Amino acid sequence: MQLHIHPSTLELGQSRWQNYLCLAADPFSQYAFHAALEESGSVGGDSGWQPLHLEIKDDGQPIALIPSYVKTNSWGEYVFDFEWANAYERYGLDYYPKLISAVPFTPCAGPRVLLAKDADLTKVLSFLSQQLPHMCAQLKLSSWHWLFAQEPDWKFAKAQSWHQRTGCQYHWYNHNYTQFEDFTAKLTSRKRKSIKKERRVIAEQGITFTWQQGQEISLQSLKEFYACYQSTYLKRRQQGYLTYEFFCALLTQMPDKLLLVTASNPSTPLAYALFFVDDKTLYGRYWGCLEEVEFLHFETCYYQGIDYCIANNIAHFDAGAQGEHKLARGFIPKTTHSYHYLAEKGFDSAIEQFCATEEEQITGYMQWAHTALPYKAQL
C-alpha cells in the first residue's frame, strides 16, 4: 500500500474525487464543496487552512481518499484544542502546523475517510496508523486529527491507538409527522404553548417566510444573505470565514444542495438562513439578520427547518453546533466523536487523561440533557 498526498483539491479533479463516493453522499463530502473553498480563497493563502488530501492506493489501485488540511491555527474546527496548543508552547514545542481530516468551518459528522467500492476500512485505518509517524516527521506536523467522524466508523477508529474526544450536538428527528402540529403534540403542554407563542409573535408582526432551493435562489438574494452572514461576525468584531465567491460557486456547482430561507416584513428582507440538504438530512449552517426581532432566530433557523423536513419527508435535521436552547425546542442531544494522533509521545498520558475527563463530563451532561427534553414520553 502507498500513501500519496495532494496539495490541491483542483489537482485531484472531480471525476477522481467522486469515484470515492456516491453522488447521494452528504453535501460536504462532495468535490464541488471542497473545490469551491479553494477556488474562492476561503482556504489557502493566509486563511490558516491549506489543502493536503491523503490518498491511499493498494497495488496501484486507489482505495481511499481522506480530505485533509494543514492548519496553522485552531479556528473554524469546532473541536477545540487551544489547551493542547498552550501546553505545547509551555514546553517550547510547536503545535502548529498540524493536519486535520475535516470539512472546513463545518461541524457536521460525516464520512471523512472516503472509500472506493469494496475497500476495507479496517485495512485503510491500520495502514494510515502505521504511516502517521513518518508523515508527521517528514512534513514537520505535530499531530493528526480526524474530526466529526460518522457513527458507522467509530468502532473501526477505536481499534486504533488514537485518542478519542467526545462532544455533544442537538439534532431533530422526523417521526413521520405530516404537519408541525404533529410534532408539537408530542411535547408537554408547557413547551407546546411556548413554541406556539414564539411562532405567534412572529406571525402577528406580519413576518413571512419564503423557501428558495437550487436554481430558484437569485444572485440578489445571495448577496443579501451574504451581507447578513457577515453581520453576525461583525457584531463580534470578526470577519466571516467564507467569501461571497464561495457561495456563488456552490450555487453554480451544487445548487440542488442549497436551501435559502428568507424572512420578510412584509416584503422587505429581515433575515436569511442558508441550509444544505440531501436525501436524508437538512443541515442548518449560516444565518444573519438585518434587524433584531424577538424569536426571529428560532423561527428562521429552527421552526422553518422543521417545517421543511415535514413537508419534504426529510428524516433528520442537523441545526448546527452548540446551542443548549435547542433542547426546549425538541432537538435531541447527540454524541460526536473525533480521533487524534500526536507525534510527541510525551503528551500521550496527559492527553489521555484530558479526553477521559472530558468524556465523563459530556456523558454526565448528556444524561441531564435527556431529562430536560420537552417530550411527554421517550421517542
Side-chain angles (χ1 to χ4, degrees):
M1 298 176 71
Q2 310 89 35
L3 176 64
H4 301 263
I5 59 175
H6 300 276
S8 169
T9 304
L10 308 179
E11 172 195 285
L12 271 163
Q14 182 170 5
S15 60
R16 187 169 177 180
W17 185 293
Q18 295 295 133
N19 279 337
Y20 288 101
L21 74 164
C22 66
L23 293 175
D26 74 89
F28 315 111
S29 299
Q30 304 293 329
Y31 172 83
F33 189 90
H34 290 265
L37 286 168
E38 189 171 333
E39 289 179 312
S40 68
S42 298
V43 300
D46 59 359
S47 67
W49 297 77
Q50 183 60 49
L52 195 73
H53 306 309
L54 309 180
E55 186 177 34
I56 296 174
K57 296 183 178 182
D58 190 4
D59 277 340
Q61 295 299 313
I63 61 170
L65 176 66
I66 309 174
S68 304
Y69 293 82
V70 174
K71 287 300 305 296
T72 55
N73 58 45
S74 290
W75 298 107
E77 300 173 19
Y78 301 94
V79 178
F80 303 110
D81 60 357
F82 296 105
E83 291 184 44
W84 297 11
N86 291 338
Y88 266 65
E89 185 178 356
R90 286 196 298 270
Y91 281 89
L93 299 175
D94 293 325
Y95 190 65
Y96 307 106
K98 62 179 182 177
L99 184 69
I100 70 169
S101 296
V103 180
F105 322 115
T106 308
C108 289
R112 299 291 174 262
V113 181
L114 312 180
L115 297 175
K117 186 178 180 180
D118 299 327
D120 184 338
L121 181 59
T122 298
K123 186 176 180 180
V124 167
L125 295 185
S126 295
F127 174 73
L128 177 63
S129 185
Q130 295 168 10
Q131 294 300 307
L132 285 174
H134 310 297
M135 183 180 69
C136 287
Q138 182 179 0
L139 300 178
K140 296 182 171 54
L141 302 169
S142 73
S143 50
W144 171 76
H145 309 263
W146 176 4
L147 305 187
F148 297 104
Q150 63 180 357
E151 190 166 351
D153 293 347
W154 292 359
K155 64 180 180 180
F156 300 98
K158 287 179 180 178
Q160 306 303 318
S161 58
W162 300 327
H163 300 289
Q164 176 190 303
R165 292 190 66 180
T166 304
C168 174
Q169 294 183 341
Y170 309 91
H171 294 204
W172 182 87
Y173 295 90
N174 184 358
H175 295 278
N176 298 314
Y177 303 129
T178 59
Q179 56 185 346
F180 193 89
E181 289 69 25
D182 294 340
F183 155 57
T184 55
K186 299 287 187 180
L187 308 180
T188 62
S189 175
R190 184 169 66 89
K191 294 299 184 181
R192 183 167 61 250
K193 289 178 181 177
S194 177
I195 290 176
K196 285 184 176 179
K197 174 188 174 182
E198 292 177 357
R199 303 203 79 179
R200 185 173 64 250
V201 167
I202 294 298
E204 288 176 348
Q205 296 179 74
I207 298 175
T208 59
F209 295 84
T210 56
W211 300 344
Q212 296 172 283
Q213 187 164 1
Q215 300 292 353
E216 298 171 348
I217 303 173
S218 68
L219 284 177
Q220 181 60 34
S221 295
L222 195 66
K223 287 179 181 177
E224 293 170 354
F225 152 74
Y226 189 71
C228 285
Y229 162 75
Q230 285 290 3
S231 74
T232 62
Y233 286 89
L234 292 174
K235 290 172 186 175
R236 302 192 297 268
R237 298 183 180 180
Q238 297 175 348
Q239 189 76 13
Y241 294 118
L242 301 167
T243 65
Y244 173 66
E245 290 74 18
F246 167 73
F247 294 105
C248 287
L250 293 183
L251 188 57
T252 300
Q253 299 298 323
M254 46 188 293
D256 58 312
K257 303 295 186 183
L258 301 183
L259 171 71
L260 184 64
V261 173
T262 306
S264 304
N265 183 20
S267 58
T268 302
L270 292 175
Y272 290 89
L274 185 68
F275 300 78
F276 289 78
V277 63
D278 59 31
D279 293 340
K280 299 179 180 179
T281 301
L282 178 70
Y283 306 88
R285 297 269 43 92
Y286 313 110
W287 129 278
C289 63
L290 299 172
E291 181 180 333
E292 296 289 343
V293 177
E294 188 178 20
F295 304 135
L296 183 59
H297 175 258
F298 300 146
E299 178 66 44
T300 309
C301 296
Y302 305 151
Y303 303 144
Q304 287 295 309
I306 291 173
D307 276 338
Y308 182 87
C309 287
I310 294 172
N312 293 275
N313 198 29
I314 300 294
H316 173 215
F317 180 15
D318 172 354
Q322 305 170 329
E324 191 174 283
H325 54 269
K326 295 172 187 170
L327 286 173
R329 291 160 181 87
F331 288 77
I332 296 172
K334 181 176 176 61
T335 300
T336 64
H337 282 184
S338 299
Y339 301 92
H340 308 264
Y341 164 83
L342 288 87
E344 176 50 66
K345 298 291 101 181
F347 283 95
D348 274 350
S349 178
I351 293 296
E352 183 176 353
Q353 184 176 355
F354 177 97
C355 292
T357 300
E358 182 180 56
E359 182 174 12
E360 183 178 347
Q361 293 170 343
I362 293 294
T363 299
Y365 172 79
M366 294 275 287
Q367 292 172 347
W368 170 85
H370 277 281
T371 69
L373 287 172
Y375 294 98
K376 289 184 289 189
Q378 188 72 30
L379 289 175

